[in-house]
Amino acid sequence: DAGVIQSPRHEVTEMGQEVTLRCKPISGHDYLFWYRQTMMRGLELLIYFNNNVPIDDSGMPEDRFSAKMPNASFSTLKIQPSEPRDSAVYFCASSFDPLNTEAFFGQGTRLTVV
Amino acid sequence: QKEVEQNSGPLSVPEGAIASLNCTYSDRGSQSFFWYRQYSGKSPELIMSIYSNGDKEDGRFTAQLNKASQYVSLLIRDSQPSDSATYLCAVKPRGGSYIPTFGRGTSLIVHP
């Protein structure tokens, strides 16, 4: 398996624009996580899905953020409208069973909002 | 609010020395503890997990857990320049979602 695949790797956008980040989890993993990493706040869980259903979105900072998982092999994180303070590295991770196994991270998307 | 605290560093050690990384957590009910390594510009990768009090060794790495004092540590023996990275501590609660809370990480620099 190629691991968790995220796209794009880098995104530079202007304030106010819509940004869509994409993730393909490892096949067979039932759990998918979206994290945001900044120097100030570290690695924060934004939302996670189990079997394509959002379970906990309490980490989503504002209504400008939304996430979907239309099927087991694809998820998106959308920011609309984007703001400079959204600049961060966004990681997607997947796991077979979070109780007993680790989460595998994608390579991340470095987002810069200017 | 479950918190996981780490000294941000950087922790600088000479090659061949023992590097000691520490982590404290606030949720006394936590049951699983993990150390991830993250190279600059890369994603976190799991290097150690520990579930019970005491030491767990894996090659040059030793994880130590003390639930009474609510801390977990990672020792790296014979440190190599290739160990230079940020080390993230992650803690899973007992029950509930089992989703870990991450510390902000400690930057380790191993100089030749």
Side-chain angles (χ1 to χ4, degrees), chain A residues 70-113:
Chain A
N71 57 62
S73 59
F74 183 66
S75 177
T76 59
L77 178 67
K78 185 175 294 186
I79 308 172
Q80 166 63 20
S82 58
E83 297 182 3
R85 59 194 169 116
D86 301 330
S87 298
V89 180
Y90 290 81
F91 287 104
C92 175
S94 71
S95 173
F96 173 66
D97 170 10
L99 172 60
N100 297 307
T101 62
E102 67 177 291
F104 292 86
F105 285 79
Q107 289 303 303
T109 295
R110 181 173 295 277
L111 173 65
T112 302
V113 183

Side-chain angles (χ1 to χ4, degrees), chain A residues 9 33 35 37 39-43 45 48 91 98-103 105-107 110, chain B residues 31-32 34 36 38 41-46 51 88 92 97-104:
Chain A
R9 291 293 308 277
F33 310 87
Y35 288 91
Q37 187 174 40
M39 289 292 292
M40 288 295 295
R41 300 176 67 89
L43 196 63
L45 178 67
Y48 80 94
F91 287 104
L99 172 60
N100 297 307
T101 62
E102 67 177 291
F105 285 79
Q107 289 303 303
R110 181 173 295 277
Chain B
Q31 65 171 8
S32 307
F34 306 86
Y36 283 77
Q38 186 176 22
K42 303 295 185 182
S43 58
E45 58 176 336
L46 183 70
Y51 303 95
L88 303 173
K92 284 190 185 182
S97 67
Y98 305 111
I99 305 304
T101 299
F102 284 83
R104 294 187 195 178

Side-chain angles (χ1 to χ4, degrees), chain B residues 74-104:
Chain B
L74 179 70
L75 301 179
I76 306 175
R77 291 182 301 280
D78 189 23
S79 296
Q80 302 297 310
S82 60
D83 295 324
S84 299
T86 296
Y87 290 80
L88 303 173
C89 173
V91 176
K92 284 190 185 182
R94 184 198 316 272
S97 67
Y98 305 111
I99 305 304
T101 299
F102 284 83
R104 294 187 195 178

Side-chain angles (χ1 to χ4, degrees), chain A residues 26-86:
Chain A
I26 293 173
S27 178
H29 281 190
D30 297 329
Y31 290 81
L32 183 140
F33 310 87
W34 281 102
Y35 288 91
R36 177 174 68 177
Q37 187 174 40
T38 61
M39 289 292 292
M40 288 295 295
R41 300 176 67 89
L43 196 63
E44 303 174 277
L45 178 67
L46 300 177
I47 185 172
Y48 80 94
F49 295 82
N50 177 212
N51 291 322
N52 313 337
V53 176
I55 303 300
D56 185 353
D57 64 355
S58 60
M60 297 284 261
E62 299 171 34
D63 291 345
R64 298 184 295 107
F65 286 70
S66 62
K68 294 182 180 180
M69 192 166 185
N71 57 62
S73 59
F74 183 66
S75 177
T76 59
L77 178 67
K78 185 175 294 186
I79 308 172
Q80 166 63 20
S82 58
E83 297 182 3
R85 59 194 169 116
D86 301 330

Side-chain angles (χ1 to χ4, degrees), chain B residues 20-96:
Chain B
S20 179
L21 305 164
N22 299 312
C23 170
T24 59
Y25 58 94
S26 62
D27 182 6
R28 188 170 287 278
S30 300
Q31 65 171 8
S32 307
F33 307 85
F34 306 86
W35 284 99
Y36 283 77
R37 178 178 60 201
Q38 186 176 22
Y39 291 114
S40 179
K42 303 295 185 182
S43 58
E45 58 176 336
L46 183 70
I47 55 171
M48 288 286 288
S49 58
I50 187 166
Y51 303 95
S52 54
N53 280 328
D55 295 0
K56 179 181 178 182
E57 188 174 316
D58 183 1
R60 295 187 296 111
F61 298 96
T62 298
Q64 299 176 317
L65 176 61
N66 184 323
K67 289 186 177 180
S69 299
Q70 295 177 234
Y71 82 80
V72 56
S73 61
L74 179 70
L75 301 179
I76 306 175
R77 291 182 301 280
D78 189 23
S79 296
Q80 302 297 310
S82 60
D83 295 324
S84 299
T86 296
Y87 290 80
L88 303 173
C89 173
V91 176
K92 284 190 185 182
R94 184 198 316 272

